[in-house]
Amino acid sequence: MVKLGGTAYKAPHAPIGVGFLIRNWPSLPQVSNLREPESAKTIGEKTVAKAKEKEQENVSYEESQLYRIRHSAAHVMAQAVMEMFPGEAKIAIGPPIEDGFYYDFDLPRNLTPEDLEAIEKRMRQIIAGKYPFEKKVVGAEEAKTLFADQPYKIELIEGLEEGGVDEYGEPLDEQPEISFYSHGDFTDLCRGPHVEHTGQINPSAVKLLSVAGAYWRGDENRPQLQRIYGTAWQNKKDLDDYLWKLEEAKKRDHRKLGRELDLFSTSEEVGAGLILWHPKGGLVRKTAEDFMRAQHEAGGYDFVYTPHIGKANLWQTSGHLDWYQDGMYAPLDIEGQEYYLKPMNCPFHIHIYNSKMRSYRELPLRFAEWGTVYRYERSGVLHGLLRVRGFTQDDAHHFCRRDQMPEEIDFVLDFSLSVLRAFGFENFQAYLSTRNPEKFAGSVEDWEAPTEALRQALERAGVSYKIDEGEAVFYGPKIDIKVTDALGREWQLSTIQFDFILPERFDMSYIGEDGQPHRPYMIHRALMGSMERFMGVLIEHYAGAFPIWLAPVQAVLIPITDDHLDYAFDVAGKLKAAGIRAEVDDSPSRMNAKIRAAQGQKIPYMLVVGDKEVEAGQVAPRLRSGENLGGIPVDDFIARAREEIERHL
RNA sequence: GCCACCCUAGCUCAAUCGGCAGAGCGAGCGCUUCGUAAGCGCUAGGUUAUGAGUUCGAUUCUCAUGGGUGGCUCCA
């Protein structure tokens, strides 16, 4: 089976204590200039509708014509590259991936953007030649002879010959046949399928996108190859739609919007992967946190606070120094004692639990903390808000009795979905990771009940879920929830994890009804994951046009002339008194420029005030969409805005 | 961390085959007082990321460091 999208698309295992949400979509270059969409929601609906259409076609991607086109395009590209470096180009593999294809090459020099143009041009010529694709099954020896000067192919053939792995290094059940596909004078080791002839690739629906380094077989100890990414579609319109999506994604890039909307920054002097929240970004974050805090309080959580460092022994007990040291920073020496910056909050929460004797009557306990943790990330993986070195998790740990477990899981799952919905996410996909037979703590029986409890909770919640067999981390099964954003991209946000290890290691207990000590169950969970990443996803989801309840500035007063300034400040005062975040644009610019500036800041309401409004005690609201509501009384506007804020519109 | 590319004013970008560093936007100040996406003018703003080297001379070439971009790898 071809690995669709490759490893880049695979969600990571969230570590104990959680907090990882990973973008499940590649970022790619973009193209033209496009109009801003009316709202994130509209695009979301369209995208979802489209995805459903695709599902109804009921043909798997691997069986589709599009898959053949992309696979064939990869071959055509390989031919063009081989011709560019006669006798010197070594070819590796080139599969179709989600939205396109790539091919890996070992070349005598680095490719430039100009090279891509030349390759693309040559590809069009090959396509125009309508060369038929021909398949030929051969023996291993013959195959090796044919690819005598292609070391990567030889390695692949040997893999096929021995059986056990396919050309992507994935395990195989059956002994595969060795087949070639040829078109024109290019032949590649390949199992297909392909289109009938190169003419079936639409030359106006193919585009090469980028070149990047990639390790042979994804192994950083093997040679690094040059990977050319391309995209291919059935027709020009599909290509244009795809390029539009890339462009739209680029415009929504939270790093760009973060600067334009003055939400956050990083500083070379502060350090890589460390986020500085500006007042506006801080306001959005605080609003989200306040909302979440209220939800948690209503949901029976207790808020706790814990320090940022802890002694080496703590991390020894928790197992972090054995299992997670690579993710931790070097210890600090404090009066001869080693302290570590915390990569997770759980040991502290456990110590709060252990600070006194617990009775079964107290359980379940739910300790929540906006806990800031620090994890070592290699410099090359840092990315805006999405991958950082210091971040704040909306972390919580549930401690419960065995009999409370199903209810506790139901609760946390429902809770997760309800809060995600509050932030405008509508489509969820859950993944249940089950025991890895090679690597698990406790007994097989220990795993059965919690795994089944998680599965049943997913059933009861009516969430669509898939089972990731053997994908659990060693200490327990887990549920990961991915959301689909306004552009149809998937992001892993929440994670709910069982833990068999820490209660044991910290010798946690409670006194049961029988007067005997019992070991509590422990659940780690983070719903937003980390505030940094969640904000990054939110910014991209809304394209910076936050719903009014989250918008840092909810209304800006735009006086037409300076004569209206007093009135504008007067109205702004009333709005603020009513709990609406309002500002007055008292810059010396003209009204048109003020509107333009406010549009750029994506402020929900622009309240124009001139002679008419002053006279009538009104404001003339303009929406971000450009809609002009005309003059309405100030009190009516306040009522309208208040309602929208309260209803999270 | 690895491969490639990049770092010039707050932002977006010019320029210098190695020879006085520029524009637009933004900012400050002034003029204008205007009805739904850019009014006009003036001014300030730079050790060309940092440090070394080569050179008569380095923003330009070399090396190192820091930061970034796209991938890869990693993320119990």
Side-chain angles (χ1 to χ4, degrees):
Chain A
M1 196 55 21
V2 169
K3 291 203 309 194
L4 290 187
T7 46
Y9 298 74
K10 198 173 167 186
H13 299 177
I16 247 186
V18 282
F20 275 95
L21 46 139
I22 280 289
R23 185 159 64 158
N24 194 26
W25 206 70
S27 8
L28 289 160
Q30 80 303 340
V31 241
S32 65
N33 225 0
L34 294 147
R35 247 194 100 224
E36 190 178 317
E38 301 103 57
S39 77
K41 226 168 185 174
T42 323
I43 292 188
E45 280 158 10
K46 278 181 197 158
T47 311
V48 170
K50 211 172 175 186
K52 276 185 185 155
E53 247 171 59
K54 268 188 190 165
E55 252 173 54
Q56 282 166 1
E57 285 167 18
N58 209 18
V59 178
S60 78
Y61 179 43
E62 290 84 348
E63 293 164 359
S64 68
Q65 175 70 3
L66 196 51
Y67 186 85
R68 289 166 183 260
I69 287 172
R70 288 170 179 166
H71 204 167
S72 305
H75 278 220
V76 171
M77 178 169 79
Q79 179 185 358
V81 173
M82 294 271 279
E83 288 174 1
M84 192 175 235
F85 302 95
E88 292 190 289
K90 306 283 182 258
I91 56 176
I93 58 168
I97 52 174
E98 185 181 6
D99 296 332
F101 59 91
Y102 68 80
Y103 212 112
D104 288 346
F105 305 96
D106 191 346
L107 302 173
R109 66 168 174 85
N110 294 318
L111 291 168
T112 65
E114 292 72 48
D115 292 329
L116 287 195
E117 283 172 31
I119 294 164
E120 203 175 301
K121 192 176 164 196
R122 176 60 188 140
M123 285 173 69
R124 293 187 208 292
Q125 292 171 350
I126 297 167
I127 289 168
K130 298 188 178 175
Y131 300 103
F133 277 90
E134 283 160 9
K135 181 181 181 181
K136 189 178 167 194
V137 177
V138 296
E141 286 314 310
E142 190 186 341
K144 284 193 217 171
T145 313
L146 245 155
F147 281 116
D149 58 347
Q150 287 290 346
Y152 300 103
K153 292 297 176 189
I154 295 288
E155 187 176 330
L156 295 174
I157 292 164
E158 283 168 355
L160 292 172
E161 193 182 1
E162 287 163 19
V165 287
D166 68 6
E167 65 263 46
Y168 304 107
E170 296 288 302
L172 275 182
D173 297 335
E174 306 164 11
Q175 179 71 29
E177 67 174 19
I178 297 175
S179 61
F180 286 166
Y181 270 87
S182 304
H183 70 270
D185 46 17
F186 177 84
T187 297
D188 197 1
L189 174 71
C190 180
R191 108 189 92 176
H194 286 281
V195 294
E196 289 160 24
H197 60 84
T198 58
Q200 288 181 351
I201 303 167
N202 185 338
S204 54
V206 178
K207 189 171 174 60
L208 300 187
L209 298 172
S210 61
V211 58
Y215 298 109
W216 168 236
R217 297 217 145 156
D219 182 344
E220 63 181 316
N221 299 311
R222 315 275 324 249
Q224 184 140 19
L225 309 172
Q226 296 190 66
R227 174 173 296 178
I228 304 178
Y229 283 97
T231 190
W233 301 83
Q234 302 248 17
N235 53 57
K236 186 163 191 318
K237 189 185 171 299
D238 286 354
L239 173 66
D240 288 345
D241 284 352
Y242 176 65
L243 296 177
W244 179 88
K245 190 170 142 178
L246 290 184
E247 167 69 11
E248 184 60 28
K250 184 76 176 186
K251 278 199 299 184
R252 288 167 178 252
D253 190 313
H254 70 280
R255 294 166 298 182
K256 178 171 175 279
L257 288 170
R259 188 171 50 240
E260 289 172 0
L261 305 181
D262 199 14
L263 301 174
F264 69 92
S265 64
T266 56
S267 156
E268 209 173 295
E269 270 194 72
V270 173
L274 302 170
I275 305 301
L276 303 169
W277 289 99
H278 298 197
K280 289 208 168 78
L283 199 40
V284 180
R285 174 173 167 173
K286 179 181 177 295
T287 305
E289 286 182 4
D290 287 350
F291 168 74
M292 287 295 277
R293 182 176 295 273
Q295 294 292 113
H296 278 69
E297 281 163 357
Y301 284 87
D302 295 314
F303 275 85
V304 299
Y305 295 86
T306 67
H308 287 217
I309 59 174
K311 281 163 71 174
N313 195 43
L314 175 72
W315 305 107
Q316 202 66 61
T317 305
S318 69
H320 284 89
L321 285 180
D322 293 333
W323 297 99
Y324 199 71
Q325 192 157 28
D326 287 351
M328 296 169 69
Y329 293 100
L332 310 163
D333 183 304
I334 301 178
E335 294 181 345
Q337 291 275 343
E338 285 192 341
Y339 284 75
Y340 283 88
L341 214 40
K342 68 175 169 182
M344 297 177 195
N345 304 299
C346 23
F348 300 95
H349 291 192
I350 291 170
H351 268 271
I352 293 171
Y353 179 99
N354 279 353
S355 64
K356 64 173 189 175
M357 184 80 87
R358 300 289 177 179
S359 155
Y360 73 97
R361 294 166 176 277
E362 290 180 74
L363 302 181
L365 279 169
R366 299 167 183 161
F367 292 161
E369 176 178 17
W370 271 215
T372 302
V373 298
Y374 296 88
R375 297 180 182 175
Y376 171 67
E377 299 283 1
R378 299 211 269 178
S379 57
V381 306
L382 299 173
H383 182 91
L385 294 175
L386 302 178
R387 193 78 182 264
V388 295
R389 286 180 171 157
F391 53 95
T392 301
Q393 301 180 300
D394 65 322
D395 205 1
H397 296 92
H398 295 225
F399 305 102
C400 67
R401 308 188 306 253
R402 188 181 192 116
D403 63 289
Q404 292 171 323
M405 181 180 64
E407 207 178 318
E408 206 57 17
I409 295 170
D410 278 348
F411 167 80
V412 72
L413 187 57
D414 289 346
F415 192 70
S416 304
L417 297 176
S418 82
V419 298
L420 291 176
R421 285 194 182 99
F423 287 99
F425 297 110
E426 300 291 342
N427 296 292
F428 307 103
Q429 175 69 47
Y431 296 84
L432 172 59
S433 297
T434 62
R435 188 174 55 86
N436 178 340
E438 310 271 297
K439 198 174 166 192
F440 67 99
S443 67
V444 175
E445 294 75 51
D446 283 343
W447 283 71
E448 280 168 6
T451 307
E452 184 55 20
L454 289 176
R455 202 187 60 74
Q456 285 180 8
L458 286 167
E459 291 283 350
R460 277 192 293 270
V463 201
S464 117
Y465 71 95
K466 291 178 185 153
I467 295 188
D468 279 343
E469 206 69 54
E471 288 293 307
V473 280
F474 74 94
Y475 49 80
K478 62 168 180 173
I479 292 172
D480 290 325
I481 299 170
K482 285 185 189 171
V483 302
T484 306
D485 80 0
L487 282 186
R489 301 173 296 180
E490 273 199 351
W491 308 80
Q492 187 186 319
L493 293 180
S494 309
T495 171
I496 301 166
Q497 312 185 349
F498 249 86
D499 188 343
F500 296 127
I501 285 293
L502 290 183
E504 195 75 32
R505 281 181 168 258
F506 283 96
D507 193 25
M508 299 175 74
S509 67
Y510 65 89
I511 303 301
E513 212 169 350
D514 56 4
Q516 298 300 310
H518 296 269
R519 192 78 76 206
Y521 273 83
M522 178 171 179
I523 298 170
H524 307 250
R525 48 114 279 196
L527 309 185
M528 299 187 283
S530 89
M531 293 312 302
E532 282 72 14
R533 286 184 174 176
F534 187 76
M535 289 287 293
V537 173
L538 262 196
I539 291 167
E540 303 213 357
H541 179 56
Y542 289 121
F546 294 108
I548 190 166
W549 74 281
L550 284 169
V553 178
Q554 295 168 323
V556 59
L557 272 295
I558 298 183
I560 291 175
T561 78
D562 289 354
D563 292 341
H564 311 117
L565 265 173
D566 287 346
Y567 179 73
F569 278 108
D570 189 39
V571 173
K574 283 184 184 157
L575 297 184
K576 285 181 195 166
I580 297 165
R581 295 188 286 267
E583 287 182 354
V584 177
D585 186 344
D586 60 351
S587 68
S589 326
R590 300 201 313 161
M591 179 200 66
N592 280 358
K594 291 179 183 182
I595 286 175
R596 185 181 156 85
Q599 288 282 158
Q601 290 297 304
K602 301 169 192 276
I603 297 168
Y605 283 105
M606 286 152 266
L607 305 178
V608 176
V609 290
D611 287 340
K612 279 190 293 185
E613 287 72 25
V614 173
E615 184 96 3
Q618 295 184 333
V619 291
R622 175 194 158 104
L623 309 183
R624 284 180 287 202
S625 63
E627 187 186 351
N628 184 352
L629 299 184
I632 59 173
V634 173
D635 288 342
D636 289 3
F637 173 75
I638 289 174
R640 174 191 170 112
R642 281 299 324 164
E643 193 195 338
E644 289 179 352
I645 291 166
E646 271 151 32
R647 291 177 54 201
H648 284 198
L649 293 175

